[in-house]
Amino acid sequence: MQSQVNRRSARPRPSSAVTLQQVAQDAGVSLATASRVLSDSDRNVTQELQERVLEAAARLRYVSNAPARALVQSTTSIVGLLVHDVNDAYYSAIAAGVMEVARDHKLLVMLAGTFHEPALQAEYVARLRAQRARAVILAGSGFTDGSPALAQELEAFAAQGGRVTAVAHQNLPVDTIVPGNREGGRAVAEHLAGLGHTEIGVICGPLALVSVQDRLHGFLERAAELGVVVQEHHRVEADFTRDGGRAAAVRLFRRSPGITALFALNDAMALGALAALRDDLGRSVPADVSVVGFDDLPVACDVTPALTTVRLPLEEIGRRALLLALGDATPSPRTLAVPSRLVVRASTAPPPRTTG
Amino acid sequence: MQSQVNRRSARPRPSSAVTLQQVAQDAGVSLATASRVLSDSDRNVTQELQERVLEAAARLRYVSNAPARALVQSTTSIVGLLVHDVNDAYYSAIAAGVMEVARDHKLLVMLAGTFHEPALQAEYVARLRAQRARAVILAGSGFTDGSPALAQELEAFAAQGGRVTAVAHQNLPVDTIVPGNREGGRAVAEHLAGLGHTEIGVICGPLALVSVQDRLHGFLERAAELGVVVQEHHRVEADFTRDGGRAAAVRLFRRSPGITALFALNDAMALGALAALRDDLGRSVPADVSVVGFDDLPVACDVTPALTTVRLPLEEIGRRALLLALGDATPSPRTLAVPSRLVVRASTAPPPRTTG
DNA sequence: GCACAATGGGAAAACGCTTTCAGTGCGGCT
DNA sequence: AGCCGCACTGAAAGCGTTTTCCCATTGTGC
């Protein structure tokens, strides 16, 4: 007895949406003709009929049913954008670049926040596959162990004709953008070593992240080349966030008070470190301790002292990522290197004299 | 003779996507049964068949064709989110709230950046209507003159069964979230007047924006009540950005050097003003000039001095906006007030003694 | 003036799915 | 034992498009 009620009330809606059929009727033409007028087909339609259809469509405020269209064409104008955290300036910047290209190409962007859960990442790719999205952009850095579930989903997506671009991922058989992480790490090492620092602390993000690994290894590599050894206990792993950076800085200085320079593997953590040095540790920057970040988020030049950091052209990365996915599929997978650049500001200086 | 060939080769792509038909075949059941198993219908299917279908689906990595599904159900799990600028922390925060609720409700979010062009706003609503989106959230503040094109599109969208929530809009016949803009403005007036400021400059965003108007009027209203008159030439209109705020601050102080407090109508502009005071005007904050912002973006506590501002619970606004759109449609349109709160930090202090 | 190509319009098929409707086999009741 | 009803499966209709196929009409060359 309840099934009746349920079934009725479950019926979604009258859905009074205007259909092409109605437009055709209103214009006094066939369905086929109306379709030809409104969906820039290559078939010609008489001026006269064309106008009648256009007018009817405008009058009825007709917009074509995208799902129906997608069904018959088996493609859509949707692209997916996967990020770890929507409310992170790093991803906002990338997203801005993506949106720009999307606007120019009349594409719709589906934004998916994975909330740092790897499982959600694969799930979203599956859903995007279900949507028959044209492309997916993995903006968030990948994990060094390469999640197999994600790889499988991407494979299925590609098999279906979807395009994929990954940013800072490893071992994924898709077009990949390689930001100058390693190179940026090297530049930081050079800068700090050049200033005369020898006791350098490093605040890492999750070591499982590809970009963390690249930045760290670039840094260690170049530091070693320059004769600066970063001791194991001068490195701490932290959340890739402001709070993570703050806590890590405190931990690090409690352990090794002699540190004169701090390299945080992204700006968010550097901001936290700055706060910790100022509020928790009472050290002044750059007089007592130099601080370097990574990414060059807009905030970097608004803090005091302005943060020395490595600039990654994030919007450009977003643009390139989508463009790559929109380009020829033939010589795939390709990789595209995007260079980074050290930006020296006020947060770095030579180490204090070892007053004795 | 050619028709044979054409029919095969004209098909857009092999589109090797797995269909439900194939799953059914693989499982040795009918299309209907497979559908019932995979689309949580209310009909029962034998344990045995259920397993066979599930197994086949997993083996073939089947995901249902969302457009096809949308076509028959005439609804989707898509919600649209319209913002003015993707790369603006204000919208990132709202978006984060929206994404959170979207994740919990298994919805897909289409993010549309209008790049401050009102025309794009209406166009995106139309495209979202074409997509049969379930709801649209207008996160960007509306214009006081209420764009008629947008209103029309929204009406059409609603007529089709779509839900709409607007944030800080006026005269739109849709559910609306009213952030405590006016109230926040009042709190700022009280704070500054209480400190003893009488020469207060205001850096406004575009006056056509509803939220700018609300913040400004709340401020002026309360200031007047407390006997503080903000002269016309102490108010400047600027871009709602950091650079806009910076330029405006310079302009304002050139014109009226006697100002002892500055109220920027959002944090981005306040940041610019801080930079201008420090780098261009050589005034110290808060000793010479007090500065107040609005929004309480995460940066606000990272700048020096930390910014006194009005906190708007942006993520909460995002969550509420989507929840509102997902709720009952019956008692619509509704309005939901979200309170703001003054957060006093280090950028405000009593005015300097009028040294004579 | 007539076969023939070219042009443009309309009927109908197909896209992949959900859901209705009609069936089939089975157990329980009188 | 026969019938009804129950529980399930499968065939088929339809969602709103695009696109094919076919037809009618017109213009063209001999």
Side-chain angles (χ1 to χ4, degrees):
Chain A
M1 58 191 286
Q2 59 152 354
S3 74
Q4 284 275 0
V5 178
N6 272 351
R7 204 171 299 171
R8 286 287 155 252
S9 64
R11 272 254 158 279
R13 66 179 67 154
S15 180
S16 62
V18 179
T19 72
L20 185 57
Q21 182 64 263
Q22 293 173 34
V23 173
Q25 221 146 44
D26 192 278
V29 300
S30 79
L31 184 60
T33 303
S35 170
R36 288 197 262 259
V37 172
L38 295 173
S39 67
D40 57 17
S41 106
D42 44 1
R43 284 280 305 263
N44 287 337
V45 174
T46 330
Q47 179 81 14
E48 146 91 24
L49 292 190
Q50 207 168 104
E51 281 169 7
R52 289 221 311 258
V53 171
L54 253 19
E55 194 209 344
R59 181 151 20 94
L60 300 174
R61 310 200 71 76
Y62 170 78
V63 291
S64 81
N65 184 321
R69 201 172 190 150
L71 178 56
V72 44
Q73 312 206 119
S74 79
T75 188
T76 62
S77 55
I78 296 174
V79 300
L81 174 60
L82 265 68
V83 305
H84 286 149
D85 179 2
V86 174
N87 196 10
D88 178 330
Y90 176 88
Y91 295 112
S92 301
I94 293 181
V98 170
M99 296 301 304
E100 204 183 299
V101 175
R103 176 198 52 180
D104 296 345
H105 291 249
K106 296 212 160 298
L107 296 169
L108 254 17
V109 176
M110 273 197 178
L111 180 64
T114 62
F115 298 86
H116 301 280
E117 296 174 33
L120 265 182
Q121 209 162 323
E123 187 187 320
Y124 270 122
V125 173
R127 297 192 64 182
L128 257 3
R129 173 156 70 101
Q131 294 291 333
R132 298 302 185 259
R134 187 177 296 189
V136 166
I137 294 171
L138 303 175
S141 169
F143 296 94
T144 46
D145 57 1
S147 42
L150 177 61
Q152 274 192 336
E153 281 303 341
L154 289 176
E155 187 188 12
F157 183 73
Q160 199 183 267
R163 301 290 307 279
V164 180
T165 302
V167 178
H169 275 251
Q170 271 179 0
N171 306 324
L172 238 37
V174 301
D175 292 342
T176 300
I177 291 196
V178 181
N181 282 325
R182 166 165 247 113
E183 153 200 346
R186 293 179 62 94
V188 172
E190 223 155 282
H191 176 59
L192 290 179
L195 286 170
H197 290 278
T198 55
E199 300 299 309
I200 307 178
V202 181
I203 302 182
C204 308
L207 290 171
L209 287 181
V210 171
S211 49
V212 168
Q213 287 290 335
D214 288 352
R215 291 171 187 185
L216 178 62
H217 286 144
F219 175 79
L220 293 180
E221 187 179 88
R222 186 66 183 135
E225 287 171 21
L226 296 169
V228 176
V229 180
V230 178
Q231 287 146 13
E232 185 72 42
H233 65 278
H234 281 187
R235 310 204 308 245
V236 290
E237 188 172 355
D239 243 18
F240 227 23
T241 62
R242 181 183 189 280
D243 290 343
R246 180 168 191 157
V250 171
R251 239 181 310 147
L252 196 55
F253 273 85
R254 295 241 186 285
R255 195 155 72 194
S256 318
I259 287 174
T260 62
L262 211 49
F263 178 26
L265 260 34
N266 75 4
D267 281 355
M269 294 192 307
L271 255 41
L274 243 30
L277 287 165
R278 185 185 55 226
D279 301 336
D280 304 330
L281 300 162
R283 309 276 192 123
S284 92
V285 177
D288 300 334
V289 180
S290 290
V291 175
V292 182
F294 209 115
D295 289 341
D296 196 21
L297 301 182
V299 251
C301 54
D302 271 321
V303 294
T304 314
L307 188 65
T308 293
T309 186
V310 176
R311 163 168 306 190
L312 232 33
L314 295 170
E315 290 203 23
E316 180 69 12
I317 286 176
R319 277 192 294 266
R320 301 296 265 278
L322 183 46
L323 252 13
L324 203 55
L326 258 28
D328 289 339
T330 17
S332 187
R334 290 159 295 184
T335 64
L336 178 65
V338 176
S340 60
R341 186 165 62 75
L342 180 74
V343 180
V344 177
R345 297 208 180 88
S347 68
T348 46
R353 298 290 176 80
T354 51
T355 52
Chain B
M1 59 191 286
Q2 58 152 353
S3 71
Q4 285 274 1
V5 178
N6 270 352
R7 202 174 299 169
R8 290 285 155 254
S9 67
R11 283 258 160 276
R13 70 169 70 152
S15 181
S16 60
V18 179
T19 72
L20 185 57
Q21 181 64 260
Q22 293 173 35
V23 174
Q25 222 147 41
D26 193 279
V29 301
S30 78
L31 185 59
T33 303
S35 170
R36 289 197 265 258
V37 172
L38 295 173
S39 65
D40 56 20
S41 104
D42 45 1
R43 290 280 307 266
N44 287 337
V45 174
T46 330
Q47 179 82 11
E48 146 93 22
L49 293 189
Q50 208 167 105
E51 281 169 7
R52 289 222 311 258
V53 171
L54 253 19
E55 194 209 344
R59 181 152 16 96
L60 300 175
R61 309 201 72 77
Y62 170 78
V63 291
S64 81
N65 184 320
R69 199 171 189 150
L71 178 56
V72 42
Q73 314 207 117
S74 78
T75 188
T76 63
S77 56
I78 296 175
V79 300
L81 175 60
L82 265 68
V83 304
H84 287 148
D85 179 2
V86 174
N87 196 9
D88 178 328
Y90 176 88
Y91 295 113
S92 300
I94 293 182
V98 171
M99 297 300 305
E100 202 182 300
V101 175
R103 177 198 51 180
D104 296 345
H105 291 248
K106 295 213 159 298
L107 296 169
L108 254 14
V109 176
M110 273 199 176
L111 179 64
T114 62
F115 297 86
H116 301 280
E117 295 174 35
L120 264 182
Q121 210 162 323
E123 187 188 320
Y124 270 122
V125 174
R127 297 191 64 183
L128 257 2
R129 173 155 69 100
Q131 295 291 334
R132 299 301 185 261
R134 187 177 297 189
V136 166
I137 294 171
L138 303 175
S141 169
F143 296 93
T144 45
D145 57 0
S147 43
L150 177 61
Q152 273 193 335
E153 282 301 341
L154 288 176
E155 188 189 9
F157 183 74
Q160 200 185 265
R163 301 290 306 280
V164 181
T165 302
V167 178
H169 276 252
Q170 270 179 359
N171 305 325
L172 239 35
V174 302
D175 292 342
T176 301
I177 289 195
V178 182
N181 282 324
R182 164 165 251 114
E183 153 199 346
R186 293 178 63 93
V188 172
E190 223 154 281
H191 177 58
L192 290 179
L195 288 171
H197 291 277
T198 54
E199 301 299 307
I200 306 178
V202 181
I203 301 182
C204 308
L207 290 172
L209 287 181
V210 170
S211 48
V212 168
Q213 287 291 336
D214 288 351
R215 292 172 187 185
L216 178 61
H217 286 144
F219 176 78
L220 293 179
E221 189 179 89
R222 186 67 182 134
E225 287 172 18
L226 296 169
V228 176
V229 179
V230 178
Q231 287 148 13
E232 184 74 41
H233 66 278
H234 280 188
R235 310 204 307 246
V236 289
E237 189 173 354
D239 243 20
F240 227 22
T241 62
R242 181 182 187 279
D243 290 344
R246 180 169 191 156
V250 172
R251 242 182 308 147
L252 195 56
F253 273 85
R254 296 240 187 284
R255 196 154 74 194
S256 318
I259 287 174
T260 62
L262 211 49
F263 178 26
L265 260 36
N266 75 4
D267 281 354
M269 296 193 306
L271 255 40
L274 243 29
L277 287 165
R278 183 184 56 226
D279 301 337
D280 305 329
L281 300 162
R283 308 275 193 124
S284 90
V285 177
D288 299 334
V289 181
S290 290
V291 175
V292 181
F294 208 115
D295 288 343
D296 196 23
L297 301 183
V299 250
C301 53
D302 271 321
V303 294
T304 316
L307 189 65
T308 293
T309 186
V310 176
R311 162 168 307 191
L312 233 33
L314 295 170
E315 291 203 23
E316 180 69 13
I317 286 177
R319 277 192 294 264
R320 301 296 264 275
L322 183 46
L323 252 13
L324 204 54
L326 259 27
D328 288 341
T330 18
S332 187
R334 288 159 296 183
T335 64
L336 178 64
V338 176
S340 60
R341 186 165 63 75
L342 181 73
V343 179
V344 178
R345 296 207 181 88
S347 69
T348 46
R353 297 291 176 78
T354 50
T355 53

